[in-house]
Amino acid sequence: MTAAAVLRALDGPLAVEEIELNPVGPGQVRVRLAAAGVCHSDLSLANGTLRQPLPAVLGHEGAGVVVETGEGVADVKPGDHVVLNWSPPCRACWYCEHGEPYLCLHADDARAVPFATAGGEPVYAGLGTGAFAAETVVGAHACIPVPADIPLAEAALLGCAVLTGVGAVTNAAKVRPGQTVAVIGLGGVGLAAIQGARIAGASAIIAVDPAPDKEELARSLGATHFVTPGERLPKEIRGMTGGLGADHAIECVGRGDTIRAAWSATRRGGTATVVGLGSAQDPVTFNALEVAYFARTIVGCMYGSTDPAVDVPLLLEHYRAGRLNLAALVSDEVGLDGVGEAFSRMRSGRGARTLIRF
Ligand code: APR
Ligand code: ZN
Ligand code: ZN
Protein backbone atom coordinates (compact mmCIF):
# COMPACT_ATOMS: atom_id res chain seq x y z
CA MET A 1 0.00 0.00 0.00
CA THR A 2 1.12 3.52 -0.83
CA ALA A 3 0.01 6.79 0.78
CA ALA A 4 -1.34 9.20 -1.83
CA ALA A 5 -3.32 12.45 -1.97
CA VAL A 6 -6.42 11.44 -3.96
CA LEU A 7 -8.77 13.86 -5.76
CA ARG A 8 -12.18 12.19 -6.04
CA ALA A 9 -14.31 15.06 -7.39
CA LEU A 10 -13.62 18.42 -9.05
CA ASP A 11 -12.93 21.09 -6.43
CA GLY A 12 -12.90 18.35 -3.81
CA PRO A 13 -10.25 17.83 -1.16
CA LEU A 14 -7.04 15.91 -1.84
CA ALA A 15 -7.35 13.46 1.03
CA VAL A 16 -4.46 11.21 1.91
CA GLU A 17 -5.51 7.59 1.31
CA GLU A 18 -3.83 4.25 0.84
CA ILE A 19 -3.70 3.14 -2.80
CA GLU A 20 -2.50 -0.10 -4.35
CA LEU A 21 -0.11 0.62 -7.22
CA ASN A 22 -0.49 -1.61 -10.27
CA PRO A 23 2.29 -4.16 -10.69
CA VAL A 24 5.26 -2.80 -12.64
CA GLY A 25 4.68 -3.89 -16.24
CA PRO A 26 7.13 -4.18 -19.14
CA GLY A 27 8.83 -0.85 -19.83
CA GLN A 28 7.64 0.59 -16.50
CA VAL A 29 9.42 1.82 -13.42
CA ARG A 30 8.36 2.20 -9.79
CA VAL A 31 9.76 5.32 -8.18
CA ARG A 32 9.83 6.27 -4.48
CA LEU A 33 9.19 10.01 -4.40
CA ALA A 34 11.52 12.22 -2.37
CA ALA A 35 9.81 15.50 -3.18
CA ALA A 36 7.10 16.94 -5.41
CA GLY A 37 6.34 20.56 -6.25
CA VAL A 38 2.75 21.85 -6.39
CA CYS A 39 2.22 23.50 -9.78
CA HIS A 40 -0.62 25.70 -10.98
CA SER A 41 -1.52 22.99 -13.50
CA ASP A 42 -2.37 20.70 -10.55
CA LEU A 43 -4.87 23.31 -9.39
CA SER A 44 -6.21 23.61 -12.96
CA LEU A 45 -6.67 19.82 -13.09
CA ALA A 46 -8.38 19.85 -9.69
CA ASN A 47 -10.86 22.58 -10.64
CA GLY A 48 -11.63 21.28 -14.12
CA THR A 49 -9.84 24.01 -16.14
CA LEU A 50 -7.71 21.15 -17.50
CA ARG A 51 -9.25 17.72 -18.04
CA GLN A 52 -8.37 14.74 -15.92
CA PRO A 53 -10.10 11.37 -15.32
CA LEU A 54 -10.99 10.87 -11.64
CA PRO A 55 -10.26 9.70 -9.04
CA ALA A 56 -6.71 10.87 -9.55
CA VAL A 57 -3.42 11.32 -7.79
CA LEU A 58 -2.18 14.69 -9.08
CA GLY A 59 1.41 15.89 -8.92
CA HIS A 60 3.67 16.02 -11.96
CA GLU A 61 6.80 17.81 -10.68
CA GLY A 62 8.59 15.06 -8.82
CA ALA A 63 11.93 13.43 -8.17
CA GLY A 64 12.83 10.27 -6.36
CA VAL A 65 14.63 6.95 -6.36
CA VAL A 66 13.93 3.99 -8.63
CA VAL A 67 12.86 0.97 -6.58
CA GLU A 68 11.80 -1.52 -9.26
CA THR A 69 12.05 -1.82 -13.02
CA GLY A 70 9.92 -3.88 -15.39
CA GLU A 71 10.95 -6.13 -18.23
CA GLY A 72 12.97 -4.44 -20.96
CA VAL A 73 13.95 -1.35 -18.96
CA ALA A 74 17.62 -0.65 -19.64
CA ASP A 75 18.15 3.05 -18.98
CA VAL A 76 17.50 3.09 -15.23
CA LYS A 77 17.97 0.60 -12.41
CA PRO A 78 16.93 0.38 -8.76
CA GLY A 79 18.77 2.98 -6.69
CA ASP A 80 19.03 5.52 -9.52
CA HIS A 81 17.88 9.05 -8.78
CA VAL A 82 15.42 10.38 -11.34
CA VAL A 83 13.36 13.44 -12.21
CA LEU A 84 9.91 12.67 -13.60
CA ASN A 85 8.91 13.89 -17.08
CA TRP A 86 5.13 14.46 -17.32
CA SER A 87 5.22 14.52 -21.12
CA PRO A 88 7.43 11.56 -22.00
CA PRO A 89 8.19 11.39 -25.72
CA CYS A 90 7.85 8.09 -27.59
CA ARG A 91 10.89 8.92 -29.78
CA ALA A 92 9.13 7.43 -32.82
CA CYS A 93 6.16 9.61 -33.83
CA TRP A 94 6.20 12.47 -36.38
CA TYR A 95 6.90 15.14 -33.71
CA CYS A 96 9.61 13.11 -32.01
CA GLU A 97 11.30 12.55 -35.36
CA HIS A 98 11.06 16.25 -36.21
CA GLY A 99 12.77 17.59 -33.08
CA GLU A 100 9.58 18.53 -31.20
CA PRO A 101 9.37 15.82 -28.52
CA TYR A 102 7.32 18.16 -26.28
CA LEU A 103 4.47 17.71 -28.78
CA CYS A 104 4.80 13.91 -28.94
CA LEU A 105 1.59 12.24 -30.12
CA HIS A 106 1.89 9.67 -27.33
CA ALA A 107 2.92 11.96 -24.46
CA ASP A 108 -0.59 11.69 -22.99
CA ASP A 109 -0.98 7.92 -23.29
CA ALA A 110 -0.31 7.19 -19.62
CA ARG A 111 -3.00 9.68 -18.55
CA ALA A 112 -5.88 7.55 -19.80
CA VAL A 113 -4.84 4.31 -18.07
CA PRO A 114 -5.22 3.77 -14.30
CA PHE A 115 -1.93 3.34 -12.44
CA ALA A 116 -3.40 2.12 -9.15
CA THR A 117 -6.56 1.09 -7.34
CA ALA A 118 -8.20 2.20 -4.11
CA GLY A 119 -10.66 -0.27 -2.61
CA GLY A 120 -10.70 -2.07 -5.95
CA GLU A 121 -11.62 1.09 -7.89
CA PRO A 122 -9.21 2.35 -10.59
CA VAL A 123 -7.17 5.48 -9.81
CA TYR A 124 -5.52 7.65 -12.46
CA ALA A 125 -2.19 9.48 -12.31
CA GLY A 126 -2.41 13.25 -12.90
CA LEU A 127 -0.55 14.05 -16.15
CA GLY A 128 0.45 10.39 -16.14
CA THR A 129 2.79 11.05 -13.22
CA GLY A 130 1.00 10.76 -9.87
CA ALA A 131 3.72 12.44 -7.85
CA PHE A 132 1.53 13.27 -4.82
CA ALA A 133 2.14 9.72 -3.61
CA ALA A 134 4.93 8.06 -1.65
CA GLU A 135 5.54 5.86 -4.71
CA THR A 136 4.37 5.89 -8.32
CA VAL A 137 4.59 3.72 -11.43
CA VAL A 138 5.54 5.46 -14.69
CA GLY A 139 6.98 4.52 -18.07
CA ALA A 140 10.77 4.35 -18.25
CA HIS A 141 10.64 7.24 -20.75
CA ALA A 142 9.28 9.40 -17.93
CA CYS A 143 12.44 8.92 -15.83
CA ILE A 144 15.34 11.31 -16.36
CA PRO A 145 18.40 10.12 -14.40
CA VAL A 146 20.15 12.71 -12.24
CA PRO A 147 23.47 12.31 -10.42
CA ALA A 148 23.12 11.15 -6.81
CA ASP A 149 24.81 14.25 -5.39
CA ILE A 150 22.03 16.56 -6.61
CA PRO A 151 19.52 17.12 -3.78
CA LEU A 152 16.27 15.47 -4.90
CA ALA A 153 14.16 18.23 -3.36
CA GLU A 154 15.76 20.72 -5.75
CA ALA A 155 15.82 18.28 -8.66
CA ALA A 156 12.02 17.90 -8.40
CA LEU A 157 11.56 21.52 -9.47
CA LEU A 158 13.32 20.78 -12.73
CA GLY A 159 10.47 18.44 -13.66
CA CYS A 160 8.00 21.20 -14.47
CA ALA A 161 8.60 24.80 -13.31
CA VAL A 162 12.23 25.05 -14.32
CA LEU A 163 12.12 23.12 -17.60
CA THR A 164 9.03 25.14 -18.52
CA GLY A 165 10.21 28.59 -17.40
CA VAL A 166 13.85 28.41 -18.48
CA GLY A 167 12.94 26.49 -21.65
CA ALA A 168 10.37 29.13 -22.62
CA VAL A 169 13.12 31.73 -22.62
CA THR A 170 15.95 29.73 -24.17
CA ASN A 171 14.17 27.24 -26.45
CA ALA A 172 10.89 28.90 -27.44
CA ALA A 173 11.59 32.66 -27.27
CA LYS A 174 15.30 32.12 -28.01
CA VAL A 175 16.24 35.28 -26.12
CA ARG A 176 19.60 36.67 -27.27
CA PRO A 177 22.17 38.59 -25.16
CA GLY A 178 21.24 42.24 -24.77
CA GLN A 179 17.52 41.78 -25.39
CA THR A 180 14.81 43.05 -23.07
CA VAL A 181 12.41 40.56 -21.48
CA ALA A 182 9.18 41.05 -19.53
CA VAL A 183 8.05 38.09 -17.41
CA ILE A 184 4.36 38.18 -16.48
CA GLY A 185 3.40 36.06 -13.47
CA LEU A 186 5.94 35.17 -10.80
CA GLY A 187 5.02 31.69 -9.59
CA GLY A 188 7.50 28.84 -9.91
CA VAL A 189 7.37 29.05 -13.70
CA GLY A 190 7.83 32.83 -13.97
CA LEU A 191 10.63 32.90 -11.39
CA ALA A 192 12.41 30.21 -13.43
CA ALA A 193 11.84 32.30 -16.58
CA ILE A 194 13.52 35.27 -14.89
CA GLN A 195 16.55 33.10 -14.22
CA GLY A 196 16.45 31.86 -17.82
CA ALA A 197 16.46 35.45 -19.05
CA ARG A 198 19.44 36.27 -16.85
CA ILE A 199 21.29 33.17 -18.08
CA ALA A 200 20.48 34.20 -21.68
CA GLY A 201 22.12 37.59 -21.05
CA ALA A 202 19.03 39.81 -21.19
CA SER A 203 19.85 43.49 -20.64
CA ALA A 204 16.60 44.27 -18.82
CA ILE A 205 14.28 41.82 -17.08
CA ILE A 206 10.92 43.31 -16.12
CA ALA A 207 9.06 41.21 -13.56
CA VAL A 208 5.27 41.60 -13.38
CA ASP A 209 3.00 40.33 -10.60
CA PRO A 210 0.08 41.76 -8.61
CA ALA A 211 1.76 40.67 -5.35
CA PRO A 212 4.28 43.37 -4.37
CA ASP A 213 6.02 40.95 -2.02
CA LYS A 214 7.34 39.08 -5.10
CA GLU A 215 9.63 41.98 -5.95
CA GLU A 216 12.51 41.16 -3.65
CA LEU A 217 12.74 37.52 -4.72
CA ALA A 218 12.36 38.44 -8.40
CA ARG A 219 15.20 40.95 -8.14
CA SER A 220 17.41 38.47 -6.30
CA LEU A 221 16.98 36.06 -9.21
CA GLY A 222 17.82 38.60 -11.89
CA ALA A 223 14.91 40.98 -12.44
CA THR A 224 16.02 44.57 -13.09
CA HIS A 225 12.52 46.08 -12.82
CA PHE A 226 9.31 45.16 -11.03
CA VAL A 227 5.80 46.36 -11.80
CA THR A 228 2.28 45.38 -10.74
CA PRO A 229 -0.15 44.72 -13.62
CA GLY A 230 -2.99 46.99 -14.67
CA GLU A 231 -4.37 48.61 -17.78
CA ARG A 232 -1.24 50.70 -18.15
CA LEU A 233 1.11 47.71 -18.08
CA PRO A 234 2.08 47.78 -21.79
CA LYS A 235 2.70 51.53 -21.54
CA GLU A 236 4.78 51.11 -18.37
CA ILE A 237 6.85 48.42 -20.04
CA ARG A 238 7.40 50.69 -23.05
CA GLY A 239 8.62 53.31 -20.59
CA MET A 240 11.21 50.87 -19.27
CA THR A 241 12.43 49.89 -22.73
CA GLY A 242 13.26 53.18 -24.43
CA GLY A 243 9.66 53.77 -25.51
CA LEU A 244 9.64 50.69 -27.75
CA GLY A 245 8.24 47.77 -25.77
CA ALA A 246 10.13 44.66 -24.75
CA ASP A 247 11.84 42.42 -27.29
CA HIS A 248 10.16 39.51 -25.49
CA ALA A 249 7.30 38.97 -23.10
CA ILE A 250 6.93 35.61 -21.38
CA GLU A 251 3.39 34.96 -20.14
CA CYS A 252 3.39 32.66 -17.09
CA VAL A 253 -0.17 33.07 -15.78
CA GLY A 254 -2.56 31.48 -18.27
CA ARG A 255 -5.32 34.08 -18.68
CA GLY A 256 -6.73 35.86 -21.70
CA ASP A 257 -5.98 39.32 -20.32
CA THR A 258 -2.39 38.52 -19.40
CA ILE A 259 -1.73 36.87 -22.77
CA ARG A 260 -3.11 39.99 -24.42
CA ALA A 261 -0.99 42.22 -22.13
CA ALA A 262 2.12 40.18 -22.96
CA TRP A 263 1.50 40.74 -26.66
CA SER A 264 0.84 44.47 -26.22
CA ALA A 265 3.93 44.89 -24.06
CA THR A 266 6.35 43.85 -26.79
CA ARG A 267 7.84 46.22 -29.36
CA ARG A 268 6.86 46.20 -33.04
CA GLY A 269 8.41 42.99 -34.32
CA GLY A 270 8.68 41.61 -30.78
CA THR A 271 7.71 38.17 -29.52
CA ALA A 272 5.20 37.11 -26.88
CA THR A 273 5.78 33.57 -25.62
CA VAL A 274 2.78 32.02 -23.91
CA VAL A 275 3.55 29.43 -21.26
CA GLY A 276 0.39 29.73 -19.17
CA LEU A 277 -2.29 27.13 -19.78
CA GLY A 278 -5.66 28.74 -19.23
CA SER A 279 -9.31 27.97 -19.80
CA ALA A 280 -10.89 27.10 -23.17
CA GLN A 281 -13.64 29.59 -22.18
CA ASP A 282 -11.25 32.54 -21.83
CA PRO A 283 -10.67 34.24 -25.20
CA VAL A 284 -7.81 36.47 -26.32
CA THR A 285 -8.79 39.14 -28.84
CA PHE A 286 -6.87 41.05 -31.51
CA ASN A 287 -8.26 43.68 -33.84
CA ALA A 288 -7.79 43.36 -37.58
CA LEU A 289 -5.38 46.26 -37.85
CA GLU A 290 -2.87 45.54 -35.13
CA VAL A 291 -1.73 42.05 -36.04
CA ALA A 292 0.04 42.96 -39.29
CA TYR A 293 0.81 46.51 -38.20
CA PHE A 294 2.77 45.57 -35.09
CA ALA A 295 4.38 42.61 -36.87
CA ARG A 296 4.70 40.75 -33.60
CA THR A 297 5.06 37.03 -33.11
CA ILE A 298 3.04 35.00 -30.65
CA VAL A 299 4.65 31.71 -29.68
CA GLY A 300 2.82 28.98 -27.80
CA CYS A 301 5.06 26.88 -25.62
CA MET A 302 4.47 23.45 -24.09
CA TYR A 303 6.88 22.19 -21.41
CA GLY A 304 9.31 24.99 -22.31
CA SER A 305 9.75 23.43 -25.78
CA THR A 306 12.28 21.18 -24.09
CA ASP A 307 13.41 17.61 -24.36
CA PRO A 308 13.91 16.82 -20.67
CA ALA A 309 16.48 14.14 -21.52
CA VAL A 310 18.61 16.89 -23.11
CA ASP A 311 17.58 19.91 -21.09
CA VAL A 312 17.72 18.47 -17.55
CA PRO A 313 21.51 17.86 -17.89
CA LEU A 314 21.92 21.41 -19.28
CA LEU A 315 19.96 22.85 -16.36
CA LEU A 316 22.09 20.84 -13.94
CA GLU A 317 25.21 22.42 -15.48
CA HIS A 318 23.74 25.85 -14.76
CA TYR A 319 22.86 24.69 -11.25
CA ARG A 320 26.36 23.38 -10.55
CA ALA A 321 27.91 26.58 -11.91
CA GLY A 322 25.74 28.63 -9.55
CA ARG A 323 23.73 30.24 -12.34
CA LEU A 324 20.45 28.52 -11.49
CA ASN A 325 19.07 28.90 -7.97
CA LEU A 326 16.60 26.09 -7.38
CA ALA A 327 16.23 26.43 -3.61
CA ALA A 328 15.04 30.02 -3.99
CA LEU A 329 11.94 28.86 -5.84
CA VAL A 330 10.69 26.98 -2.77
CA SER A 331 8.73 29.24 -0.43
CA ASP A 332 6.99 26.54 1.63
CA GLU A 333 7.47 22.89 2.52
CA VAL A 334 4.66 20.58 3.60
CA GLY A 335 3.86 16.90 4.04
CA LEU A 336 1.59 14.95 1.70
CA ASP A 337 -1.47 16.29 3.56
CA GLY A 338 -0.46 19.87 2.71
CA VAL A 339 -1.58 20.00 -0.94
CA GLY A 340 -4.85 21.79 -0.05
CA GLU A 341 -2.86 24.42 1.84
CA ALA A 342 -0.59 24.84 -1.22
CA PHE A 343 -3.66 25.28 -3.45
CA SER A 344 -5.07 28.05 -1.28
CA ARG A 345 -1.74 29.87 -1.28
CA MET A 346 -1.69 29.56 -5.07
CA ARG A 347 -5.26 30.82 -5.50
CA SER A 348 -4.33 33.99 -3.63
CA GLY A 349 -0.98 34.39 -5.43
CA ARG A 350 1.06 33.98 -2.24
CA GLY A 351 4.45 32.31 -2.11
CA ALA A 352 6.47 30.70 -4.88
CA ARG A 353 6.63 26.89 -5.01
CA THR A 354 5.27 24.70 -2.24
CA LEU A 355 7.29 21.51 -2.05
CA ILE A 356 5.91 18.27 -0.64
CA ARG A 357 8.61 16.33 1.20
CA PHE A 358 8.14 12.61 1.69
N1 APR B 1 -0.58 39.61 -14.01
C1 APR B 1 0.60 39.10 -13.61
N2 APR B 1 0.71 38.07 -12.75
C2 APR B 1 -0.41 37.54 -12.27
C3 APR B 1 -1.69 38.02 -12.63
C4 APR B 1 -1.75 39.11 -13.55
N3 APR B 1 -2.90 39.63 -13.95
N4 APR B 1 -2.62 37.28 -11.97
C5 APR B 1 -1.94 36.38 -11.22
N5 APR B 1 -0.61 36.53 -11.39
C6 APR B 1 0.50 35.84 -10.74
C7 APR B 1 0.18 35.28 -9.37
O1 APR B 1 0.26 36.30 -8.37
C8 APR B 1 1.28 34.23 -9.21
O2 APR B 1 2.44 34.79 -8.63
O3 APR B 1 0.86 34.71 -11.50
C9 APR B 1 1.59 33.81 -10.64
C10 APR B 1 1.17 32.39 -10.97
O4 APR B 1 1.92 31.53 -10.17
P1 APR B 1 1.48 30.04 -9.82
O5 APR B 1 0.03 30.02 -9.48
O6 APR B 1 2.46 29.52 -8.83
O7 APR B 1 1.63 29.30 -11.24
P2 APR B 1 2.83 28.44 -11.89
O8 APR B 1 2.85 27.10 -11.27
O9 APR B 1 4.06 29.26 -11.90
O10 APR B 1 2.27 28.25 -13.38
C11 APR B 1 2.04 29.35 -14.24
O11 APR B 1 2.19 28.06 -16.24
O12 APR B 1 2.42 25.79 -16.61
C12 APR B 1 1.51 26.85 -16.54
O13 APR B 1 -0.59 25.85 -15.83
C13 APR B 1 0.49 26.68 -15.45
O14 APR B 1 -0.86 28.44 -16.29
C14 APR B 1 0.06 28.10 -15.27
C15 APR B 1 1.34 28.90 -15.49
ZN1 ZN C 1 3.45 21.99 -13.97
ZN1 ZN D 1 6.51 10.80 -30.04
Short mmCIF file of all heavy atoms in Angstrom, two decimals, residues 6 25 49 55 90 95 98 147 206 212 222 227 235 240 283 315 326:
data_model
loop_
_atom_site.label_atom_id
_atom_site.label_comp_id
_atom_site.label_asym_id
_atom_site.label_seq_id
_atom_site.Cartn_x
_atom_site.Cartn_y
_atom_site.Cartn_z
N VAL A 6 -5.49 11.83 -2.88
CA VAL A 6 -6.42 11.44 -3.96
C VAL A 6 -7.51 12.49 -4.14
O VAL A 6 -8.19 12.87 -3.17
CB VAL A 6 -7.05 10.05 -3.66
CG1 VAL A 6 -7.99 9.64 -4.80
CG2 VAL A 6 -5.97 8.99 -3.45
N GLY A 25 4.75 -3.14 -14.99
CA GLY A 25 4.68 -3.89 -16.24
C GLY A 25 5.94 -3.70 -17.08
O GLY A 25 6.86 -2.96 -16.69
N THR A 49 -10.33 23.16 -15.03
CA THR A 49 -9.84 24.01 -16.14
C THR A 49 -9.11 23.13 -17.15
O THR A 49 -9.23 23.31 -18.35
CB THR A 49 -8.89 25.10 -15.60
OG1 THR A 49 -9.60 25.85 -14.63
CG2 THR A 49 -8.42 26.03 -16.70
N PRO A 55 -11.15 9.05 -10.01
CA PRO A 55 -10.26 9.70 -9.04
C PRO A 55 -8.82 9.71 -9.54
O PRO A 55 -8.42 8.84 -10.31
CB PRO A 55 -10.41 8.85 -7.79
CG PRO A 55 -10.90 7.53 -8.25
CD PRO A 55 -11.70 7.77 -9.51
N CYS A 90 7.73 9.50 -27.16
CA CYS A 90 7.85 8.09 -27.59
C CYS A 90 9.10 7.85 -28.42
O CYS A 90 9.53 6.72 -28.60
CB CYS A 90 6.61 7.67 -28.37
SG CYS A 90 6.53 8.39 -30.04
N TYR A 95 6.31 14.02 -34.47
CA TYR A 95 6.90 15.14 -33.71
C TYR A 95 8.26 14.76 -33.13
O TYR A 95 9.20 15.55 -33.17
CB TYR A 95 5.95 15.59 -32.59
CG TYR A 95 4.78 16.37 -33.13
CD1 TYR A 95 3.52 15.78 -33.24
CD2 TYR A 95 4.93 17.68 -33.54
CE1 TYR A 95 2.45 16.49 -33.75
CE2 TYR A 95 3.86 18.39 -34.05
CZ TYR A 95 2.62 17.79 -34.16
OH TYR A 95 1.58 18.50 -34.67
N HIS A 98 10.81 14.92 -35.66
CA HIS A 98 11.06 16.25 -36.21
C HIS A 98 11.53 17.22 -35.14
O HIS A 98 11.34 18.44 -35.26
CB HIS A 98 9.82 16.77 -36.95
CG HIS A 98 9.57 16.05 -38.25
ND1 HIS A 98 9.00 14.80 -38.30
CD2 HIS A 98 9.86 16.39 -39.51
CE1 HIS A 98 8.92 14.40 -39.56
NE2 HIS A 98 9.44 15.34 -40.32
N PRO A 147 22.39 12.80 -11.29
CA PRO A 147 23.47 12.31 -10.42
C PRO A 147 23.04 12.31 -8.95
O PRO A 147 22.26 13.17 -8.53
CB PRO A 147 24.60 13.32 -10.64
CG PRO A 147 24.31 13.94 -11.98
CD PRO A 147 22.81 13.95 -12.10
N ILE A 206 12.02 42.63 -16.81
CA ILE A 206 10.92 43.31 -16.12
C ILE A 206 9.97 42.26 -15.56
O ILE A 206 9.36 41.49 -16.30
CB ILE A 206 10.17 44.24 -17.10
CG1 ILE A 206 11.14 45.27 -17.68
CG2 ILE A 206 8.98 44.90 -16.41
CD1 ILE A 206 10.65 45.91 -18.96
N PRO A 212 3.05 42.57 -4.50
CA PRO A 212 4.28 43.37 -4.37
C PRO A 212 5.38 42.63 -3.63
O PRO A 212 6.56 42.92 -3.82
CB PRO A 212 3.84 44.61 -3.58
CG PRO A 212 2.38 44.53 -3.41
CD PRO A 212 1.90 43.18 -3.82
N GLY A 222 17.35 37.99 -10.66
CA GLY A 222 17.82 38.60 -11.89
C GLY A 222 16.95 39.70 -12.46
O GLY A 222 17.35 40.37 -13.42
N VAL A 227 7.00 45.54 -11.64
CA VAL A 227 5.80 46.36 -11.80
C VAL A 227 4.57 45.51 -11.53
O VAL A 227 4.58 44.29 -11.80
CB VAL A 227 5.80 47.03 -13.20
CG1 VAL A 227 5.82 46.00 -14.32
CG2 VAL A 227 4.62 47.97 -13.39
N LYS A 235 2.11 50.20 -21.48
CA LYS A 235 2.70 51.53 -21.54
C LYS A 235 3.88 51.63 -20.57
O LYS A 235 4.95 52.18 -20.89
CB LYS A 235 1.63 52.57 -21.18
CG LYS A 235 2.02 53.96 -21.53
CD LYS A 235 0.82 54.88 -21.56
CE LYS A 235 1.34 56.26 -21.93
NZ LYS A 235 0.70 57.33 -21.21
N MET A 240 9.98 51.48 -19.81
CA MET A 240 11.21 50.87 -19.27
C MET A 240 12.11 50.34 -20.38
O MET A 240 13.18 49.80 -20.09
CB MET A 240 10.83 49.69 -18.35
CG MET A 240 10.06 50.12 -17.11
SD MET A 240 9.29 48.67 -16.35
CE MET A 240 8.52 49.44 -14.94
N PRO A 283 -11.24 33.86 -23.90
CA PRO A 283 -10.67 34.24 -25.20
C PRO A 283 -9.59 35.32 -25.12
O PRO A 283 -9.51 36.06 -24.13
CB PRO A 283 -11.89 34.77 -25.96
CG PRO A 283 -12.80 35.29 -24.91
CD PRO A 283 -12.53 34.50 -23.65
N LEU A 315 20.37 22.08 -17.54
CA LEU A 315 19.96 22.85 -16.36
C LEU A 315 20.84 22.51 -15.17
O LEU A 315 21.19 23.39 -14.37
CB LEU A 315 18.49 22.58 -16.04
CG LEU A 315 17.48 23.15 -17.04
CD1 LEU A 315 16.08 22.59 -16.77
CD2 LEU A 315 17.46 24.67 -17.00
N LEU A 326 17.82 26.89 -7.50
CA LEU A 326 16.60 26.09 -7.38
C LEU A 326 15.96 26.28 -6.00
O LEU A 326 14.74 26.43 -5.89
CB LEU A 326 16.91 24.60 -7.62
CG LEU A 326 17.43 24.27 -9.03
CD1 LEU A 326 17.90 22.82 -9.11
CD2 LEU A 326 16.36 24.54 -10.08
#
